[in-house]
Each structure stands twice: as C-alpha cells, then as structure tokens.
Amino acid sequence: MPATPHADGSLTATHWGTYRVHTQNGRVTALTPFERDPDPSAIGQGMADVVDGPLRVTQPMFRRGWLEQGAGPADGRRGSEDFVALPWPEAIERVAAELNRVRQHHGNEAIYGGSYGWSSAGRFHHAQSQLKRFLNTIGGYTASVNTYSYAAAEVTLPHVLGSFYPMVNGATSWAQMRKHTDLFVAIGGIPLKNGQVTNGGVGQHVQRQDLLDAVADGVRLINISPIRSDVMAEAGADWLPLRPGSDVALLLAIAHTLESEGLTNQQFIASHTVGFERFRDYVLGHSDGQAKDADWAATLCQLDADDIRQLARRMARERTMISVSWSLTRQDYGEQPYWAAIAVAAMLGQIGTEGGGIGFGYCAMNAIGANYQGIPGAALPQGNNPVKQFIPVARIADMLLNPGERFDYNGQSGHYPEIKLVYWAGGNPFHHHQDLDRLRQAWQRPDTVIVHDWCWNAHARHADIVLPAATHLERNDIASSSRDPFLVYMTQAIDPVGESRTDYAIFSALAKALGVEEAFTDGLDESQWLARLYDETRDKAAVQGIELPDFEQFRQQGWFEAEPPRQPQVLMQAFRRDPETHPLGTPTGKIELFSATVAGFGYDDCPGYPCWIPPREWLGGATAATPLHLISNQPRTKLHSQLDHGRHSRSAKLNGREPVMLHPDDAAARGIRHGDLVRVFNHRGGCLASAIVSDDVRPQVVQLSTGAWYDPPSSPASGLSCLHGNPNVLTRDQGTSRLAQGPSAMSCLVEVERYLEPATPVTVFTPPTIDYRKGIAD
Ligand SMILES: Nc1nc2c(c(=O)[nH]1)N[C@H]1C(S)=C(S)[C@@H](COP(=O)(O)OP(=O)(O)OC[C@H]3O[C@@H](n4cnc5c(=O)[nH]c(N)nc54)[C@H](O)[C@@H]3O)O[C@H]1N2
Ligand SMILES: Nc1nc2c(c(=O)[nH]1)N[C@H]1C(S)=C(S)[C@@H](COP(=O)(O)OP(=O)(O)OC[C@H]3O[C@@H](n4cnc5c(=O)[nH]c(N)nc54)[C@H](O)[C@@H]3O)O[C@H]1N2
Ligand SMILES: [Mo]
C-alpha cells in the first residue's frame, strides 16, 4: 500500500512541547520545535529515531504460554516468556472471547480497567479514555481513584481548603510575584527539569524566563530540599539541605517560632480559619508534652536551630510565598506536609495577597504559576460505569495479592475485588508502581493481562496480549490542556507503523466483535469525532469568553492561543477579601486547621490536624544495612518511561546505565568513583546504576531518577532485580496513610556498593524473542 501523503512540517503536540514534523518517503526525519516556543524541550528529539525503530511493536503479540495453555495465573511466566505474532482478525477474536469469558463467569467487577498513566497528548485518542469508554459499553470495570502525582493532597486538601485542583491550577502567577514577593520559600525546590511538561500539551515553555524575571526584580529564593539543583543555579537561592521526610518538623518549628514570638497574624486566624487552638496546643506541646520548637526540629531535619528561627522571623517580616512541591506528598504520611504548610501560611496571614501565601507545585509543570488562561477542551465521553468497585490507584499490587481484603480510604471502607483480567492502555505500571518485584509477583495472579502500547517497554513485556498502538504521529487529533493556552491541531504525519492501529480503531474492532460497535463509536470516524469534540470545546471556551475560530479555520492555522487573563492570578484572593461571600468548600467555609471530618475517621496515621509522624523509612531511622536515603524523582531527559529508548534519554546514561548521584563523602567511604558501576540495594531489591559523584546532593542522600526501563535479569542473579537502574525495585509499596492511600515512593532507604562482578549488559533495549509464524500448531 503506498504511503498516504501527509503535509510535511505540520504540527504535533506532546506533553513536553509542540513540534513541526518533517517527513520523507513516509518516514519521520525530524521534529523541530514550534516557532512560538522560546525555550523548547529537548525531550522530543528522541521520537524520530524510535517511532519505527526495532523496539516498535508492529503486530498483535501473544505470550506463548497464554496461547498454548490458555488463560490462567501465570506463575512467573508473565514477563519472561517469548511472544507469538498473530494476525489482527485472530487477535480480535481471541481478545473478544476472553472478555466474554471473564464477564460471563466472574462479572465485570473482575476486569481491572484503572489503566493509570499519562499516555500521549490529544483529546480524542487519549488511550485511557478510549479504554474506559469501551469497557463501559460492555458493562464496566473496577476503577481506580486519584493519581500517583499527589494522591495524598487530592484527598486532604478538600478537607482543609475545600478543593484540590483549583488550588493547584489557581497558583498565584509569577507575573504577580515578581512585583510583590520578597521571599519565595521553595520546599522541595522548583526544579526546571519538571517545567518541561504539562499534561495535555505545552505551547510555550515559560518557567525559566518567569523565574529569571522574578529574580531580576528582587525575589529571593530559599531552596529547602536535599538537592541543590532543585532551584536553578542562576536564581542564587540559599540552600537548606534538610533530611528528606522531615519537612513537617521544620514547618511545625516555624509555627512554634511564630506563635511563641507573637508573630502569628491573629486577625487572619480568627476571620479565615477554624481549629487553630487545637493545632497551637499541639505545636506548643500542651497536648503531648513536646514543644515543636526549633531545637526539636533541628535534630530531626539536621538543620541549624537558629537558621530555622531566623527563617520564621523573616517569613513574618517579608511578603512570603511558601511553595510546596508535589513530591512532598509522595512519602509516608504525605497528607501532613501540605496541611502543615497551609497552617504556617495561615499564621503568616498572607494567603490571598498579591505575592504572598501558599502555592502547590510551582514548576512541577510548565503551567503552574504561568500567567495563562487554559482552554477547557472537550474530552471523549467515557459513558457510565455500572461497576462501583474502585481502589486507591497505588493499591494495585495489594488488590491483586489480597482479593477480599478490606481497605480504608477517606472515611470509606472498601474491599479488594478478585481480578481475573487486567486491561491497560496508555500507562506503564512497571514504570510507576513501587516495589516492582512485588508487583511482578502480583501480576502473575490474574488469568489475562491485555496491554495496548507502541513500544517494547517492561509493561508490554509483562502482558499476555500486546495490541500495537499507533503513536500521536500516526493519527489526527486536537491537543489542549486546561492548564495551557494553546490549542493545537495534530496532523497525522505518517501511516501507522507496521500493523499498528489507533486505540480507537482497536476498540472499534473489539466492539464490533462483541456486538456493541454502534454504542462505542456513535457511528463516527476519527474526523467526525474531532469535529464533534471541537464544537464542544468551542462552546466551553465561549463560556469562558474565549472565541475559537470554526473547525476548518483552526485546522488550516494549526493552532490557537488564548489571551492571558486580564489580571494575573492570585490564589484565594476573593476568599481573603470576603470569606463570608466567597467561602471555601470546607464544611465551615474556612481554612480547617483542625478538621472534624478527618478527626471523625479515627485514623491513627492521619489525625484531624497537621502533625509530625516519623516516616517508616527515613534517615532518622537509618540502619547499618541501609544508611542512605533514596530520592527517586522525575527524570530530566524524558517523561516517566516515555522515550527512554530514544536518543536524548540514552545520551544521558553513563556506560549504558541510569546514573545515580551520591555525595563525595558517601562515595569516598565506599571507594566509589565517578562512572563506577554500582549496585543500589535494600531488602526489597537491587539495581545496577552508574555513579555520579557530586555535592549537589546532601550527604546520606542518593538520587536516582525514575524512568529507566525496568530490566529484570533473565536468570536470577544474586541481589539484582534490575540491570538498568529503575529505582522502583527499591521503593516501598505502602499507602501514605488510611486517609489517601497514596504512593509513598520517596520514603526509602538503601545502600550503595561498587559492583565488581562481571555485569550483564542491559537487555531491555533489545526486543523480546518473537515467533512471527502466523498462528500456532493446533
Ligand atoms: N519511585 C517513584 N515512582 C514514581 C514517581 C516518583 O516520583 N518516584 N512518580 C509517579 C508519578 S507522579 C507518575 S504521574 C507516574 C507516571 O507513570 P505513567 O504515566 O504510567 O508513565 P508513562 O511512562 O508516562 O506511561 C505512559 C505509557 O503510555 C504509552 N503510550 C503513549 N502513547 C500511547 C498511546 O497513544 N496509546 C497507548 N495505548 N499507549 C501509549 C507509553 O509508551 C507508556 O508505556 O509515575 C509514578 N512513579
Ligand atoms: N522532565 C520531566 N518533567 C516532569 C515529569 C517527568 O517525568 N519528566 N513528570 C511530571 C509529573 S507526572 C509530575 S507529578 C511532576 C512532579 O513534580 P515533583 O513532585 O515536584 O517532582 P520530583 O522531581 O519528583 O521532586 C522534586 C524534588 O523534590 C525533592 N524532594 C524529594 N523528597 C523530599 C523531601 O522529603 N523533602 C523536600 N524538601 N524535598 C524533597 C527532590 O530533591 C526532588 O528533586 O513532574 C512533572 N514534570
Ligand atoms: Mo505525576
């Protein structure tokens, strides 16, 4: 079949930026950044060389054991057997039959369709929405709630501030802060590496310039984080390298100093908050006999007590913005840091002022703090899920391992269903989940695992059935983000590679085989869906006062930009001005420093006010076997696991493995030099990595980014569960608390040693063994 002609140089959108795609003879030759982007991300460069490279899944693939022995628990074979390529008609028939078997024998509750993950940009071809719409047309699925990003805050903030997302997206913009802010206290930093992305798309990267402008206008920064480069060097921030996991102690000590030195803004506390007395009694030690003063915190944080007191006084004296990174929520009792930071901000009384108060996740994405009006794009309607069963998203291994067991969540009590079939499209649990060896065991339990993906990452390798998905370069779509002002028409650049199909085409074929084609497709093809979604987007935008052109005009132009808001955003300004007319969504309408609702749940690991609970794993409890704290933060050269096999990500590896950063003292004590092959390990697992020795990280902390494709050795090598450097073989799989049950990856202790044995090379960048004979002998 001759390649369809596609316009050379038309736009595509990704979570890390907008690009023009150049093609020749039906192949992508280059992606060049969108001309409107002043500071493009290099992440996109990896795409051209892998879109049709050897790691592309080009045909439907079936695990041999699943084909030969039939569906059933895999007993270790899932993730280690070879695959058989089958033609599409047979693949569709087999998947449809298996869905029917599970539905009929076990009910739809036995299908897990949470399918968490970022997938790729584009409103229509959003893989997770496609899957959920499809599963809903055949009777539903067990779902998941909340995210891996900040589950603890998603559940806590509604109790404290009345909502979560408006508080994140409504961050006071840098445009305000450069004029009004004196002091910007960055707890968990504001790493520019993360500002490369926004979920849904990025038209223009602005964080670097916004930050430079703020500094030029006199905003002073304090980086409170174990890693120096969490605030860019040019910002000239002071660095308080506290022990990871000790932020709540620091915040309580700041509260103690404010209160004991008469610096609390009593008026704001009285007019805008409830429950201060309970919190105050705890901070002063009246309720438990321990004053949370600076000396107390200094030991826990390993900071200087005077530095803490001076910081508190300065925060009271100056116009201060407290910024708390999302990472603070991904640790043991991750509900507490945000609540404690809100309490301090309330005591300072600057919430809702221009340039003061609190912000959640500055720089965590390009959009947070940008002076933007996002475009509320229409989403693919997912229909209704008749199954009411759900799990907190990060409890997946618990669910698979312990069917029937009870769990707590936000005042509710649920139980884990018995899952027979896992269906995933657009996420990578073998990237995002903690304690991957445990997940790998749990993953053997279901009868069948079906995955749509486009490349042979660990997730695809751990499936029974891999249906090859087309990438965003192989389909038309509309990209928008409620966090970004650009709407982009994504033009198909090349034909689907090999026999890959869009998720929509795959689900349409399955729906047809199951007799529900019309219900799934609504009788529309891709272009008709795009026209429908665009019209809805236009209507929604109009309500917000944004005039969109008609669809044809938009397609011709390729993009549209919404005007910035008339007044740069200030978080909670209306509430500050008049809390009676503009109450928060909490039961009292005020900031709840004590929440009767949360207290009423009776959780010992999350009482009704912010408090210090020592993490289960942290340096304060370090052992001789695991004396170091592991930070597994977001990667600079990719988005999660995406494009780890591309040029850009691979150029940042050292000797082919993921780099792990350690402090010179810790390296010297272990005889480790820059570039050495090391083993990072604890009792859960061990991975190989290449050492980078740098005082960018505080002593006793090591940093290994997420995202290296998980590469378990094929033969059990002692102490190794990943050859490549995936930190999730080391992290703990435990909920933050009974309130949110969020992931707690950042609470993790490890040891590092030089690896002197002959090391097996990384295998995950070589495709698995595939039998391309059509069908099997039967
Ligand atoms: N230790 C540790 N672990 C973490 C974190 C941490 O800080 N520390 N962070 C957590 C956070 S915040 C997050 S959000 C998660 C991220 O975890 P995920 O969002 O699951 O990670 P991604 O790699 O983005 O997964 C997207 C998958 O979708 C596939 N894909 C892309 N486009 C398409 C498409 O069009 N169709 C289909 N079918 N598939 C497609 C990609 O190939 C990839 O496999 O990780 C979490 N895990
Ligand atoms: N390039 C790139 N950008 C991304 C992503 C990506 O994969 N790649 N992922 C996106 C996603 S899904 C999300 S959710 C956001 C996440 O945004 P964040 O959660 O802010 O990102 P992280 O890089 O995980 O963590 C930020 C910093 O927090 C610090 N930190 C860790 N533990 C502690 C602690 O206990 N105390 C203090 N004070 N600091 C601590 C670490 O030094 C780390 O560098 O990033 C987004 N941006
Ligand atoms: Mo995230």
Side-chain angles (χ1 to χ4, degrees), residues 1 15 111 119 141 159 166 227 230 273 325 369 379 540 559 562 570 585 609 699 705 735:
M1 200 175 66
H15 301 304
I111 301 175
S119 187
Y141 59 95
H159 295 296
I227 298 178
D230 278 343
T273 74
S325 71
K540 285 173 80 177
W559 57 274
V570 174
Y609 53 88
S705 299

Side-chain angles (χ1 to χ4, degrees), residues 500-522:
S500 68
R501 296 180 178 182
T502 64
D503 294 288
Y504 182 63
I506 299 171
F507 289 127
S508 299
L510 279 173
K512 186 172 179 194
L514 293 165
V516 291
E517 186 185 16
E518 180 70 24
F520 175 71
T521 64
D522 266 2

Side-chain angles (χ1 to χ4, degrees), residues 89-206:
E90 189 180 341
I92 293 292
E93 204 178 298
R94 284 179 182 270
V95 173
E98 176 60 2
L99 283 165
N100 270 340
R101 181 190 72 83
V102 172
R103 285 198 294 162
Q104 279 156 15
H105 288 90
H106 307 283
N108 281 64
E109 185 182 295
I111 301 175
Y112 182 65
S115 192
Y116 181 80
W118 270 54
S119 187
S120 45
R123 305 299 291 189
F124 173 59
H125 290 291
H126 184 240
Q128 196 189 110
S129 306
Q130 290 282 351
L131 169 65
K132 291 178 175 174
R133 178 177 172 85
F134 166 72
L135 290 177
N136 283 338
T137 61
I138 61 164
Y141 59 95
T142 289
S144 64
V145 293
N146 302 133
T147 65
Y148 275 73
S149 309
Y150 34 43
E154 282 175 284
V155 178
T156 309
L157 256 63
H159 295 296
V160 179
L161 295 180
S163 64
F164 174 70
Y165 283 93
M167 295 297 161
V168 174
N169 297 338
T172 299
S173 55
W174 286 108
Q176 287 286 3
M177 290 190 289
R178 63 184 292 193
K179 285 194 249 163
H180 303 281
T181 306
D182 301 313
L183 181 63
F184 186 100
V185 181
I187 310 181
I190 41 170
L192 268 189
K193 66 176 175 65
N194 292 355
Q196 293 177 94
V197 314
T198 291
N199 55 331
V202 177
Q204 300 182 317
H205 289 86
V206 295

Side-chain angles (χ1 to χ4, degrees), residues 598-617:
V598 174
F601 299 154
Y603 299 150
D604 52 356
D605 52 3
C606 188
Y609 53 88
C611 64
W612 165 250
I613 312 173
R616 301 180 193 95
E617 266 187 53

Side-chain angles (χ1 to χ4, degrees), residues 123 169 373-379 478-487 533-548 560 562:
R123 305 299 291 189
N169 297 338
Q373 176 173 213
I375 300 180
I478 298 167
S480 76
S481 167
S482 57
R483 291 167 158 162
D484 195 87
F486 281 83
L487 195 70
L533 293 179
Y534 186 79
D535 283 347
E536 277 174 37
T537 302
R538 232 177 139 195
D539 293 345
K540 285 173 80 177
V543 174
Q544 220 171 279
I546 305 171
E547 277 292 315
L548 292 182
F560 172 87

Side-chain angles (χ1 to χ4, degrees), residues 16 41 43 116 118 147-150 186-199 223-230 240 242-247 250 324-331 337-338 361-366 431 629-642 697 701 703 706-707 746-747:
W16 47 88
S41 160
I43 293 178
Y116 181 80
W118 270 54
T147 65
Y148 275 73
S149 309
Y150 34 43
I187 310 181
I190 41 170
L192 268 189
K193 66 176 175 65
N194 292 355
Q196 293 177 94
V197 314
T198 291
N199 55 331
N223 177 25
I224 301 183
S225 157
I227 298 178
R228 191 200 312 264
S229 53
D230 278 343
L240 289 184
L242 86 178
R243 284 206 290 205
S246 69
D247 304 81
L250 173 68
V324 276
S325 71
W326 295 348
S327 59
L328 298 182
T329 68
R330 298 196 300 279
Q331 53 172 288
Y338 275 30
Y362 280 107
C363 278
M365 285 185 195
N366 179 59
H431 163 77
H629 188 111
L630 174 73
I631 299 286
S632 54
N633 56 354
Q634 311 297 314
R636 182 174 50 83
T637 55
K638 55 196 164 253
L639 173 71
H640 314 137
S641 71
Q642 298 194 42
V697 68
V701 170
Q703 180 266 337
T706 57
M746 294 292 176
S747 296

